[in-house]
Amino acid sequence: MPIEMPRGLPFSVDTWSVRSQMKRHHFLTHAHKDHSSGILTHSSFPIYCTGLTKSLLLNQYPQLDESLFLRIEVGQSIFIDDPDCEFTVTAFDANHCPGAVMFLFEGSFGSILHTGDCRLTPECLYCLPEKYISKKGIQPTHRLDYVFLDCTFGKFRQPLPCKRSSIQQVINCIWKHPAATVVYLTCDLLGQEDIMVSVSQAFGSKIFVDKVANPELFGALNLTVPEILTQDESSRFHVFDGFPNLYKRAAAKLAEAKANSQPEPLIVRASAQWYACDEEYSCTGSEGKLRFDTVVKDLYGVWHVCYSMHSSREELEWALQLLAPRWVASTTTPSCSAMELDYVKKHCLASRLTPGDPLWKLLDIRVDGDDVSTQCTGKNSPVVERVPAEMVGGESPTKSKNGSFSKLPCTLPLYEGQTVTLFGRARLRIEDSFEKCGQLVSDKIGRELQVEIAREEESDVVKVKQQVEHSSVCGEELSEKDGSKVSSSGAASGSSNNLGENLKRYYRSMNVPVPRPLPSLLKLLDNHKRRTKRRF
């Protein structure tokens, strides 16, 4: 699933959550459902995407309001005047599926390339501004500050065939099986339209897609390649659902043909997943999977062709060498992290971080440049405020003799040669995500605050309990004491000034908001009386 953009940026890309909804601008790279998950409940204006992506998305989610979208096409640049920072965004072809784009953001935060899902080729990358491209081994005149990279097949070290070669293998496989009166193509995924178009042209036949059984797929294909579709079931070529239960359904089709004494149908699956992931369904083991120049038949009678819409590790390494970015982050979890790439290990070293590095601003981390520590590397390491200690390997604030919370140096564990990406599992080799770390910190804060409240405000709590008990018996209005109000739960509420200054500092040092006030019992009683009067 896509990862959230850093807090210091005013926009989100391909994420639809409570956190991303707080951003002022939203970008969608393409219409695959794993990149639009949650868009129905957490979408807000504006959403930038291509016109085709918008149409495909509305086909998937008819409930979406069409007015939420703003159109941006390949090669187009849009200037956005945001209150925090002005920036420009440009769309480039991602070579992934119809309507898919990469976004290049340029502003005071630096230059950011977000690839979305992509198959990086020379044609894609050389469309980027020339200033970001290396020439003859010389670094570009302007290095990209950050690249958010699709690392789906980053662990797969074998070279993947180009799309054109894979499509030709599909056509050759069909030519070699002239007795197959029915050919099932597992091309039900957005991005495999080129295979169907090539097959339709090579054999002069349209492809059957059941509009009733699969209306969403038919609607998507009707938007992208309507000229090859037919509702005539007698057509030789049928679209076959890839998942779920592909192999069970394939075995059922073969058994049905055999029982009816019909020629065995040809079932072709064009995907790289079987080669890179599906070990349990391999018939010939890893050696057979390395044969990318020909089709391979598995135990279930399915013929496989390696067709990838994502870059291989070799292509990712080449692209990073060409772009030479300062920092790299993986856009995919929990697949390959960018830290596993050779370029990142060699060039994105945490030991090069300085207190003035713009990375801290991007992550919305306040760094004290005057106070540095040499605990980890022997070199200057930034002292970070407002970062949970569990996330950066530092210590929690401690209470000094005078009763105030003092800040201990929360130094990043920047060991010599260690690589670092921006966040998530890849960040600082921390296995847990931000959410898990945040939960640990919240639990720790809760336990320590209970002790602190009991210690510093014991007398106030006793007074509050007495007031609540009195009000529950007499029903009298509560008077304000010591500048605070009392809630029905017996906890001090009113304004956040009820908390001592020490507690407020502690909340802020642990990067959590100071608790908001609860309504007073007096106000709740008044509201209840008003509602009762209205009923009568």
Side-chain angles (χ1 to χ4, degrees):
M1 297 293 290
I3 45 84
E4 298 278 359
M5 297 299 285
R7 290 183 300 177
L9 295 175
F11 55 84
S12 66
V13 182
D14 290 348
T15 54
W16 313 97
S17 62
V18 174
R19 177 178 172 184
S20 62
Q21 195 172 14
M22 297 172 66
K23 304 277 189 178
R24 283 185 289 272
H25 311 278
H26 313 277
F27 294 85
L28 179 63
T29 59
H30 63 289
H32 278 157
K33 285 191 173 181
D34 58 331
H35 289 252
S36 59
S37 176
I39 195 170
L40 285 178
T41 53
H42 297 293
S43 59
S44 59
F45 179 85
I47 301 173
Y48 297 87
C49 64
T50 62
L52 182 54
T53 295
K54 170 187 171 182
S55 299
L56 291 167
L57 202 67
L58 292 174
N59 176 65
Q60 298 171 10
Y61 306 104
Q63 312 94 310
L64 277 176
D65 187 354
E66 189 175 353
S67 63
L68 290 174
F69 297 89
L70 292 180
R71 185 173 174 177
I72 179 172
E73 298 298 338
V74 172
Q76 181 182 358
S77 295
I78 295 179
F79 174 78
I80 298 177
D81 187 7
D82 185 79
D84 288 344
C85 61
E86 300 174 347
F87 64 95
T88 302
V89 57
T90 309
F92 297 92
D93 181 28
N95 189 30
H96 181 64
C97 69
V101 292
M102 304 184 291
F103 288 116
L104 175 63
F105 302 94
E106 298 170 291
S108 59
F109 46 73
S111 54
I112 299 174
L113 177 65
H114 195 294
T115 66
D117 282 354
C118 65
R119 178 79 189 267
L120 297 177
T121 62
E123 293 79 10
C124 287
L125 293 181
Y126 282 112
C127 289
L128 294 173
E130 191 175 336
K131 63 181 180 180
Y132 295 125
I133 306 296
S134 300
K135 294 182 180 179
K136 297 180 180 180
I138 302 176
Q139 284 192 351
T141 55
H142 293 76
R143 293 180 64 187
L144 286 167
D145 292 300
Y146 317 96
V147 170
F148 291 81
L149 188 65
D150 172 21
C151 298
T152 300
F153 290 149
K155 294 181 179 179
F156 192 62
R157 293 183 174 271
Q158 300 301 323
L160 296 172
C162 65
K163 290 183 178 181
R164 187 178 304 173
S165 173
S166 300
I167 292 174
Q168 189 59 48
Q169 289 182 42
V170 174
I171 295 174
N172 292 343
C173 180
I174 298 172
W175 279 119
K176 291 177 181 179
H177 294 81
T181 57
V182 180
V183 177
Y184 294 103
L185 301 172
T186 57
C187 297
D188 60 328
L189 183 64
L190 183 66
Q192 297 176 320
E193 297 81 8
D194 289 343
I195 301 173
M196 292 186 285
V197 170
S198 298
V199 168
S200 178
Q201 293 174 350
F203 295 93
S205 174
K206 292 191 175 184
I207 299 175
F208 172 72
V209 180
D210 194 337
K211 182 178 180 179
V212 177
N214 204 335
E216 186 176 305
L217 174 61
F218 182 85
L221 292 174
N222 199 40
L223 289 169
T224 54
V225 287
E227 67 278 5
I228 68 169
L229 300 181
T230 181
Q231 288 295 289
D232 185 4
E233 291 191 52
S234 64
S235 174
R236 185 188 181 195
F237 300 97
H238 292 226
V239 170
F240 199 56
D241 290 342
F243 283 95
N245 303 321
L246 167 64
Y247 299 101
K248 290 182 180 179
R249 288 184 289 103
K253 287 289 184 183
L254 295 173
E256 180 184 355
K258 185 176 181 179
N260 296 330
S261 301
Q262 296 175 346
E264 183 178 279
L266 179 64
I267 304 174
V268 183
R269 180 190 182 194
S271 173
Q273 185 177 5
W274 183 77
Y275 293 83
C277 308
D278 293 354
E279 293 292 339
E280 61 179 305
Y281 298 113
S282 172
C283 64
T284 55
S286 58
E287 294 181 1
K289 289 191 175 187
L290 298 182
R291 297 173 56 191
F292 298 130
D293 59 336
T294 184
V295 294
V296 180
K297 187 177 182 180
D298 66 16
L299 292 171
Y300 298 87
V302 178
W303 292 84
H304 293 269
V305 174
C306 186
Y307 181 85
S308 178
M309 295 183 288
H310 299 271
S311 299
S312 66
R313 186 187 184 108
E314 180 184 53
E315 292 167 338
L316 294 176
E317 296 285 6
W318 169 82
L320 291 177
Q321 290 291 341
L322 186 68
L323 298 176
R326 302 180 190 275
W327 298 99
V328 181
S330 173
T331 63
T332 52
T333 57
S335 185
C336 170
S337 68
M339 289 182 64
E340 298 177 33
L341 300 175
D342 294 336
Y343 174 89
V344 178
K345 293 178 181 178
K346 184 177 180 181
H347 298 283
C348 302
L349 301 180
S351 58
R352 298 178 183 176
L353 279 172
T354 61
D357 197 293
L359 175 63
W360 306 120
K361 183 179 180 181
L362 185 74
L363 296 175
D364 195 24
I365 294 175
R366 192 175 116 201
V367 178
D368 185 357
D370 299 328
D371 186 11
V372 295
S373 172
T374 59
Q375 294 179 7
C376 296
T377 64
K379 299 181 180 181
N380 289 348
S381 299
V383 176
V384 182
E385 295 180 354
R386 301 180 61 241
V387 182
E390 286 81 352
M391 293 174 58
V392 297
E395 299 181 40
S396 301
T398 57
K399 193 175 181 182
S400 60
K401 294 180 180 179
N402 59 8
S404 64
F405 286 95
S406 61
K407 181 194 69 178
L408 292 181
C410 291
T411 58
L412 290 169
L414 307 182
Y415 297 99
E416 190 68 33
Q418 180 181 350
T419 53
V420 58
T421 54
L422 296 184
F423 48 85
R425 286 187 173 90
R427 184 172 184 255
L428 302 178
R429 295 191 183 276
I430 295 176
E431 293 297 328
D432 294 328
S433 63
F434 276 143
E435 290 78 8
K436 187 173 181 180
C437 291
Q439 184 62 43
L440 292 174
V441 175
S442 299
D443 295 342
K444 183 176 181 180
I445 290 174
R447 292 193 300 269
E448 296 189 9
L449 282 181
Q450 289 177 2
V451 176
E452 191 63 32
I453 290 174
R455 182 185 304 165
E456 294 192 357
E457 302 186 5
E458 182 177 359
S459 58
D460 291 338
V461 171
V462 172
K463 292 179 182 180
V464 166
K465 289 183 177 179
Q466 292 174 351
Q467 291 175 350
V468 172
E469 291 174 357
H470 180 70
S471 63
S472 61
V473 174
C474 303
E476 297 178 357
E477 295 185 351
L478 297 177
S479 60
E480 296 184 1
K481 284 191 176 184
D482 299 328
S484 65
K485 297 180 181 180
V486 182
S487 68
S488 59
S489 63
S493 57
S495 71
S496 59
N497 291 331
N498 290 329
L499 297 179
E501 289 299 322
N502 295 338
L503 283 177
K504 290 182 183 178
R505 288 195 212 100
Y506 187 51
Y507 269 112
R508 297 183 182 116
S509 67
M510 298 300 286
N511 196 27
V512 294
V514 177
R516 299 177 63 182
L518 296 173
S520 66
L521 182 60
L522 176 62
K523 187 175 181 180
L524 291 175
L525 289 173
D526 288 341
N527 292 337
H528 178 70
K529 291 178 181 178
R530 294 192 190 99
R531 287 195 298 269
T532 305
K533 289 179 181 179
R534 289 195 202 104
R535 292 174 186 171
F536 289 101

